Each structure stands twice: as structure tokens, then as C-alpha cells.
Amino acid sequence: MTTRKRTATAEERRTHRELREALDELVQHIRVVRRTLTSMPPHELERAQDRLEWLADEVWRLALGEDDGPP
């Protein structure tokens, strides 16, 4: 049995633009936190974690196709 990797078509990318943007923002945030982790004061680290959790929730919501935003 062979496994076929699914590749996103240009149409799929246009259709799921919000999800792609949210994923890009999540990845960018993770990269920034990773680079600055050792120099972050505890209050900034807590804020970064809160932002990470919010972004992950947003990605999850968009991936499920839920159109209404957070309450």
C-alpha cells in the first residue's frame, strides 16, 4: 500500500484563506517566542502563552468551519 500526500490546490488555498492566515500567524508567534524565550520576563511569557492558546483556538475554530468568532 502506498500513501499519497495530499497537496493543497490553489483553489483550496483561496477558499480557506482565513485558516491559512491564522496558521501563518500562529507559526510566526511560535517563532518569535522561541527566539526570545530565554530573555522574556515571566509576565511577558504568560502573555505569550495566552496569545498562543488564543491563536490555537482560532485555528481550531476555522479548521472546523465555525464562522462565528469567539464570544
Side-chain angles (χ1 to χ4, degrees), residues 33 36-50:
V33 170
T36 59
L37 186 62
T38 57
S39 63
M40 276 188 174
H43 72 280
E44 284 184 20
L45 186 58
E46 186 175 334
R47 190 179 316 162
Q49 182 177 353
D50 290 343

Side-chain angles (χ1 to χ4, degrees), residues 6 12-27 55-67:
R6 181 173 178 226
E12 184 180 16
R13 287 185 178 143
R14 282 191 292 269
T15 303
H16 301 291
R17 180 178 224 140
E18 277 186 276
L19 176 57
R20 179 160 298 285
E21 290 172 358
L23 282 166
D24 288 345
E25 191 174 350
L26 176 64
V27 169
L55 287 168
D57 286 344
E58 184 69 7
V59 167
W60 183 253
R61 181 184 68 79
L62 291 167
L64 294 177
E66 297 175 0
D67 291 332

